[in-house]
Amino acid sequence: MKVTNSRVSQIVIAFSSGEPEEVLFSGLRWGGPQSLSVSTMEGASLKVENSWIGRIDKLSRGGWVFDINEVPYVKDHWEFGTPVPDDAELGVLLNKKHYIIVDSEVDSMWLWFTIGSKVRIANWKAGRFTHWNLHQDFEVQGVGYDVTLENTSVNWVKWMICGETEIENNDNCQISPYGRDVRVTVTNSVIPHNLAMRGNENVKLINCTVPSEIAFLDARRMYAAGGHIHYLEFENTTISGTMEVASTYTRISGTVTILMEEQDVNYDWGTVEREYPLEVKDENGNPVSNAEVKLFDFENNLVWNGTTDQNGSAQFTIMFTEDNWNEKWRLEVTTKIKKISREIGFLTSTPVILSL
């Protein structure tokens, strides 16, 4: 590929497989004019001459992007655009190259951790790196490629996860899990570039903030490792961006503060099962045990009843679809001396706390 005498908003340099070799990039930056010439032993090449690289307007992203992956593929025939069968056998195109980026300004890196990988990411912060190496600075198993940054800045990173990954104390990232049995735990982190759930995955967010989109997507038509069943658990997390639902089944559980309005939700299709932990307290904040709890749906039908335990706790679930997600349920709590009720909806924060 050759780019000459041009003004380009963004160049995405993508690598999906390859034999061992060092691939060097040097002097990449915003603006121009600038030049680049790089090639691999397999014959791939990119040449940029006298061109300007960066945002064309204030709303667009721009600059240099590195998409480095080891791509899962369907071993049997699969036609792109049709759903990958849940039992299809997958393989991986191995990437054994070492990408070295020196004296550069990079908009973003998209790093794929393939099927069977185990990765622990801690204390990654966007900014300028004097020296950073994927395998030296993270705990990495099952990832064939390597990345080194020398005197290079990165604005944000996209973690593309097809295996098991633990992420702690990160910022300026996107988290995009794919695959059959993906497990992701994120702790003490900010996710400003979306949580895009595209596989059959289990994701847990602990003490996190998500001021961006959370998307539950059916990616079986787009990716060999794409899925359509999602499990998302929160613990003391705040979400305040937008949400998209377009997948077969999603289960949401745990404790979360939701700072969204209905206009922030694009509920296209699919079932979402939300689990609501409940706490009932007296006027002094003490737990109330053996309180009777009833849940009525939006047509005033009794759909669940139970009692609080010795800790004043109970738990109920609501099944949402594209037809009822913006309806309101009614939760009713009764003791010997008092009855109170609370409206429950798709965007209700948890735990639900009722004080008598």
Side-chain angles (χ1 to χ4, degrees):
M1 180 178 179
K2 186 175 182 179
V3 181
T4 306
N5 301 323
S6 298
R7 183 182 177 94
V8 180
S9 173
Q10 185 177 76
I11 292 182
V12 179
I13 304 173
F15 295 92
S16 60
S17 63
E19 293 302 311
E21 70 171 323
E22 291 186 349
V23 184
L24 176 65
F25 299 86
S26 181
L28 307 182
R29 65 186 189 278
W30 298 76
Q34 57 184 300
S35 299
L36 168 72
S37 181
V38 64
S39 62
T40 68
M41 65 171 58
E42 289 81 13
S45 65
L46 172 64
K47 191 169 187 177
V48 178
E49 294 180 345
N50 192 37
S51 293
W52 193 97
I53 313 298
R55 290 189 180 96
I56 295 175
D57 55 55
K58 292 182 179 180
L59 298 179
S60 64
R61 286 179 173 170
W64 297 93
V65 176
F66 285 85
D67 180 0
I68 301 174
N69 59 68
E70 293 177 302
V71 177
Y73 66 92
V74 179
K75 289 188 175 181
D76 295 328
H77 174 73
W78 169 56
E79 184 176 347
F80 182 82
T82 62
V84 176
D86 290 338
D87 60 352
E89 186 178 359
L90 303 181
V92 177
L93 294 174
L94 297 180
N95 186 349
K96 302 177 182 179
K97 297 190 184 301
H98 183 185
Y99 305 96
I100 303 171
I101 308 170
V102 179
D103 298 329
S104 294
E105 298 172 350
V106 175
D107 178 61
S108 60
M109 294 192 304
W110 307 347
L111 301 185
W112 291 67
F113 305 138
T114 195
I115 295 171
S117 62
K118 293 184 178 181
V119 179
R120 185 176 185 275
I121 301 167
N123 303 315
W124 194 94
K125 303 287 185 180
R128 179 162 291 276
F129 297 85
T130 302
H131 175 83
W132 176 86
N133 176 265
L134 174 64
H135 285 263
Q136 293 175 1
D137 291 280
F138 293 168
E139 297 176 19
V140 179
Q141 299 178 34
V143 177
Y145 64 83
D146 202 0
V147 181
T148 296
L149 306 177
E150 298 280 358
N151 190 33
T152 290
S153 63
V154 179
N155 290 336
W156 65 284
V157 67
K158 182 189 297 188
W159 308 122
M160 314 281 278
I161 302 166
C162 298
E164 296 183 21
T165 298
E166 296 179 8
I167 300 171
E168 182 178 1
N169 195 27
N170 269 225
D171 69 4
N172 276 352
C173 66
Q174 178 184 123
I175 297 175
S176 294
Y178 301 75
R180 297 288 176 77
D181 189 23
V182 178
R183 298 186 181 276
V184 182
T185 302
V186 187
T187 307
N188 300 327
S189 296
V190 180
I191 308 171
H193 295 281
N194 302 348
L195 170 60
M197 300 181 66
R198 301 170 181 169
N200 294 348
E201 72 282 273
N202 288 267
V203 176
K204 185 172 184 178
L205 305 184
I206 305 171
N207 300 328
C208 290
T209 301
V210 187
S212 55
E213 182 181 64
I214 298 178
F216 306 102
L217 305 174
D218 182 349
R220 293 174 296 169
R221 290 174 172 82
M222 300 170 58
Y223 303 97
H228 60 122
I229 298 173
H230 317 284
Y231 296 89
L232 177 59
E233 180 181 357
F234 295 108
E235 182 178 319
N236 191 34
T237 287
T238 298
I239 61 175
S240 59
T242 59
M243 185 180 295
E244 180 176 1
V245 180
S247 198
T248 303
Y249 173 82
T250 300
R251 182 176 178 87
I252 300 174
S253 62
T255 56
V256 57
T257 299
I258 302 177
L259 305 178
M260 295 180 186
E261 304 293 337
E262 287 187 0
Q263 62 264 27
D264 299 320
V265 178
N266 178 22
Y267 201 126
D268 192 9
W269 65 277
T271 297
V272 175
E273 181 178 7
R274 268 210 72 185
E275 178 184 286
Y276 295 82
L278 167 68
E279 297 178 6
V280 179
K281 300 180 179 182
D282 64 18
E283 59 185 4
N284 297 315
N286 299 312
V288 177
S289 60
N290 296 316
E292 183 182 11
V293 185
K294 294 181 179 180
L295 180 68
F296 298 87
D297 67 13
F298 54 91
E299 295 179 333
N300 204 35
N301 298 307
L302 177 64
V303 293
W304 176 84
N305 66 282
T307 57
T308 57
D309 62 17
Q310 62 183 1
N311 298 313
S313 300
Q315 186 169 283
F316 60 93
T317 61
I318 297 177
M319 303 291 285
F320 294 98
T321 69
E322 62 271 23
D323 296 321
N324 69 12
W325 73 271
N326 55 356
E327 301 286 356
K328 297 296 183 286
W329 278 247
R330 187 176 86 257
L331 187 68
E332 192 175 273
V333 176
T334 304
T335 67
K336 293 180 179 180
I337 60 174
K338 197 170 185 179
K339 177 189 289 188
I340 58 174
S341 64
R342 167 80 181 274
E343 189 177 80
I344 302 295
F346 183 65
L347 297 176
T348 297
S349 298
T350 52
V352 177
I353 299 176
L354 291 181
S355 297
L356 297 171

Short mmCIF file of all heavy atoms in Angstrom, two decimals, residues 1 3 8-14 36 46 48 51-54 62-66:
data_model
loop_
_atom_site.label_atom_id
_atom_site.label_comp_id
_atom_site.label_asym_id
_atom_site.label_seq_id
_atom_site.Cartn_x
_atom_site.Cartn_y
_atom_site.Cartn_z
N MET A 1 0.85 -1.19 0.00
CA MET A 1 0.00 0.00 0.00
C MET A 1 0.88 1.24 0.00
O MET A 1 1.89 1.29 0.70
CB MET A 1 -0.93 0.00 1.22
CG MET A 1 -1.84 1.21 1.29
SD MET A 1 -2.96 1.15 2.71
CE MET A 1 -3.82 2.70 2.50
N VAL A 3 0.74 5.64 0.13
CA VAL A 3 0.00 6.89 0.32
C VAL A 3 0.95 8.03 0.00
O VAL A 3 2.00 8.16 0.64
CB VAL A 3 -0.52 7.02 1.76
CG1 VAL A 3 -1.29 8.33 1.93
CG2 VAL A 3 -1.39 5.83 2.14
N VAL A 8 -4.75 12.44 5.33
CA VAL A 8 -5.45 11.24 5.80
C VAL A 8 -5.80 11.42 7.28
O VAL A 8 -4.94 11.80 8.08
CB VAL A 8 -4.58 9.98 5.62
CG1 VAL A 8 -5.32 8.75 6.12
CG2 VAL A 8 -4.18 9.82 4.16
N SER A 9 -7.06 11.16 7.62
CA SER A 9 -7.47 11.28 9.02
C SER A 9 -6.81 10.23 9.89
O SER A 9 -6.27 10.53 10.96
CB SER A 9 -9.00 11.16 9.12
OG SER A 9 -9.40 11.11 10.47
N GLN A 10 -6.83 8.98 9.44
CA GLN A 10 -6.34 7.89 10.28
C GLN A 10 -5.76 6.78 9.41
O GLN A 10 -6.32 6.44 8.37
CB GLN A 10 -7.49 7.34 11.13
CG GLN A 10 -7.10 6.29 12.15
CD GLN A 10 -8.29 5.86 12.99
OE1 GLN A 10 -9.15 5.12 12.53
NE2 GLN A 10 -8.36 6.35 14.21
N ILE A 11 -4.65 6.24 9.85
CA ILE A 11 -4.08 5.05 9.22
C ILE A 11 -4.04 3.94 10.26
O ILE A 11 -3.41 4.09 11.32
CB ILE A 11 -2.67 5.31 8.67
CG1 ILE A 11 -2.74 6.28 7.48
CG2 ILE A 11 -2.01 4.00 8.24
CD1 ILE A 11 -1.39 6.57 6.83
N VAL A 12 -4.74 2.84 10.00
CA VAL A 12 -4.75 1.67 10.87
C VAL A 12 -3.80 0.63 10.29
O VAL A 12 -4.03 0.12 9.19
CB VAL A 12 -6.17 1.09 11.01
CG1 VAL A 12 -6.14 -0.14 11.92
CG2 VAL A 12 -7.13 2.13 11.56
N ILE A 13 -2.75 0.34 11.03
CA ILE A 13 -1.77 -0.64 10.61
C ILE A 13 -2.11 -1.95 11.30
O ILE A 13 -1.97 -2.08 12.52
CB ILE A 13 -0.34 -0.19 10.96
CG1 ILE A 13 -0.06 1.18 10.34
CG2 ILE A 13 0.68 -1.21 10.48
CD1 ILE A 13 1.26 1.78 10.76
N ALA A 14 -2.60 -2.92 10.54
CA ALA A 14 -3.12 -4.16 11.11
C ALA A 14 -2.21 -5.34 10.78
O ALA A 14 -1.78 -5.51 9.64
CB ALA A 14 -4.53 -4.43 10.58
N LEU A 36 6.96 7.25 5.72
CA LEU A 36 7.17 5.96 6.37
C LEU A 36 7.33 4.90 5.30
O LEU A 36 6.65 4.93 4.27
CB LEU A 36 5.96 5.61 7.26
CG LEU A 36 5.89 4.17 7.78
CD1 LEU A 36 6.95 3.95 8.85
CD2 LEU A 36 4.51 3.85 8.32
N LEU A 46 3.91 -0.96 3.56
CA LEU A 46 3.22 0.33 3.65
C LEU A 46 4.25 1.42 3.41
O LEU A 46 5.29 1.45 4.06
CB LEU A 46 2.56 0.51 5.02
CG LEU A 46 1.97 1.90 5.30
CD1 LEU A 46 0.82 2.20 4.34
CD2 LEU A 46 1.50 2.00 6.75
N VAL A 48 4.44 5.65 3.03
CA VAL A 48 3.79 6.96 3.12
C VAL A 48 4.81 8.01 2.73
O VAL A 48 5.93 8.03 3.25
CB VAL A 48 3.26 7.22 4.55
CG1 VAL A 48 2.63 8.60 4.64
CG2 VAL A 48 2.26 6.14 4.96
N SER A 51 2.86 13.18 3.31
CA SER A 51 1.43 13.19 3.61
C SER A 51 1.18 13.67 5.03
O SER A 51 2.03 13.57 5.91
CB SER A 51 0.84 11.78 3.43
OG SER A 51 0.86 11.42 2.06
N TRP A 52 -0.03 14.20 5.23
CA TRP A 52 -0.47 14.73 6.52
C TRP A 52 -1.39 13.72 7.17
O TRP A 52 -2.37 13.27 6.57
CB TRP A 52 -1.19 16.05 6.29
CG TRP A 52 -1.43 16.89 7.51
CD1 TRP A 52 -0.67 17.93 7.94
CD2 TRP A 52 -2.51 16.78 8.44
NE1 TRP A 52 -1.19 18.48 9.09
CE2 TRP A 52 -2.33 17.79 9.42
CE3 TRP A 52 -3.61 15.93 8.55
CZ2 TRP A 52 -3.20 17.96 10.48
CZ3 TRP A 52 -4.47 16.10 9.61
CH2 TRP A 52 -4.27 17.11 10.56
N ILE A 53 -1.09 13.33 8.43
CA ILE A 53 -1.86 12.30 9.13
C ILE A 53 -2.46 12.91 10.39
O ILE A 53 -1.74 13.44 11.24
CB ILE A 53 -0.98 11.09 9.52
CG1 ILE A 53 -0.11 10.63 8.34
CG2 ILE A 53 -1.84 9.96 10.06
CD1 ILE A 53 -0.90 10.15 7.14
N GLY A 54 -3.78 12.85 10.53
CA GLY A 54 -4.41 13.36 11.74
C GLY A 54 -5.85 13.74 11.51
O GLY A 54 -6.41 13.54 10.42
N GLY A 62 -8.24 10.48 14.76
CA GLY A 62 -7.21 10.55 13.75
C GLY A 62 -5.86 10.11 14.27
O GLY A 62 -5.67 9.91 15.46
N GLY A 63 -4.92 9.94 13.33
CA GLY A 63 -3.57 9.58 13.70
C GLY A 63 -3.25 8.14 13.35
O GLY A 63 -3.92 7.50 12.54
N TRP A 64 -2.22 7.64 13.99
CA TRP A 64 -1.72 6.29 13.74
C TRP A 64 -2.34 5.30 14.72
O TRP A 64 -2.37 5.54 15.93
CB TRP A 64 -0.21 6.26 13.88
CG TRP A 64 0.50 7.13 12.88
CD1 TRP A 64 0.89 8.43 13.05
CD2 TRP A 64 0.89 6.76 11.56
NE1 TRP A 64 1.51 8.90 11.91
CE2 TRP A 64 1.52 7.89 10.97
CE3 TRP A 64 0.78 5.60 10.80
CZ2 TRP A 64 2.04 7.88 9.68
CZ3 TRP A 64 1.29 5.58 9.51
CH2 TRP A 64 1.91 6.71 8.97
N VAL A 65 -2.82 4.18 14.20
CA VAL A 65 -3.44 3.13 15.01
C VAL A 65 -2.76 1.81 14.68
O VAL A 65 -2.55 1.48 13.51
CB VAL A 65 -4.95 3.02 14.72
CG1 VAL A 65 -5.56 1.86 15.50
CG2 VAL A 65 -5.65 4.33 15.07
N PHE A 66 -2.45 1.03 15.73
CA PHE A 66 -1.88 -0.31 15.54
C PHE A 66 -2.89 -1.35 16.00
O PHE A 66 -3.33 -1.35 17.15
CB PHE A 66 -0.58 -0.46 16.33
CG PHE A 66 0.58 0.26 15.71
CD1 PHE A 66 0.80 1.61 15.96
CD2 PHE A 66 1.44 -0.40 14.84
CE1 PHE A 66 1.85 2.28 15.37
CE2 PHE A 66 2.50 0.26 14.24
CZ PHE A 66 2.71 1.61 14.51
#
